[in-house]
Amino acid sequence: MIRRFVVSVLMLLLLGACREAPPDKPEHTADTHQRQPDAAQPALNSAPAVAARAQQRLRTVARSGNIDHDVASLLLEHYRGAQQLAAVEIATGRDPDLRALADTLRREWRQESQTLGRLAGRTHYNASEDYTLLYQDFSRGMQAAGDSATRYYRPPTGNPDADFAAALSAHLRTGLLLVQVGIAYGSDPPLIALVHHFHHDQLRHLRQVQAWTLAHPISTKR
């Protein structure tokens, strides 16, 4: 009788152990390696990715055959890229100086984009310069500006502020190259005046970014 009771108790204990829930699996352990950000493959909305798309759009801006119209169109696209970079910094950045700069870029975009849009529309119907030696030289200058800009880009670090500073620096350098070509070949007085103003602002912002980068060397390293 006692043996039968002991056996029954042991059987109940074994059944209870078998019914216990398995130990909890640590959350996300199975795919942790898949979720880690890869610095070589930046997120779609990161500053490096936004800058790369902006650079690509600059290369695909439609050419009208009129130098002044094309300068205005290219600078308008450049402003749009700067505004998108600023939006990324405001959304993800933490550094107050860079966020203030991003806000300045957004305000400049609202002001200058309207002026550039009007200039592009006004110069669009000017006499075409297509197939002339001057326009061909202008086109080669713009192509060289785009090609030279690629050397300014740096691999992403995963630090939103450092990546914004590096991407914006490259973007501003591209703008300065575009400005040089625009001044050399453009002829519309209001456009040339705006281009000179654009050059002043881009150079000032570039110096701000360079100063920030020098003051934050650790944040630009992985």
Side-chain angles (χ1 to χ4, degrees), residues 14 31 39 86 91 102 108 120 143 159 165 170 185 199 210-211:
L14 288 172
D31 60 347
E108 288 180 355
Q143 180 66 42
N159 180 312
Y185 293 96
H199 178 271
Q210 289 174 333

Side-chain angles (χ1 to χ4, degrees), residues 10 14 26 33 41 47 52 66 80 115 122 127 139 152 160 167 170 172 187 194 215:
L10 291 174
L14 288 172
H33 66 285
Q41 299 292 332
N66 181 276
R80 183 176 292 111
T115 304
R122 184 171 62 78
S139 296
Y152 298 128
L172 293 173
S187 60
L194 182 62

Side-chain angles (χ1 to χ4, degrees), residues 20-39:
E20 285 181 6
D24 291 338
K25 180 182 180 181
E27 188 176 4
H28 303 309
T29 54
D31 60 347
T32 298
H33 66 285
Q34 298 176 357
R35 296 171 181 265
Q36 294 297 325
D38 184 358

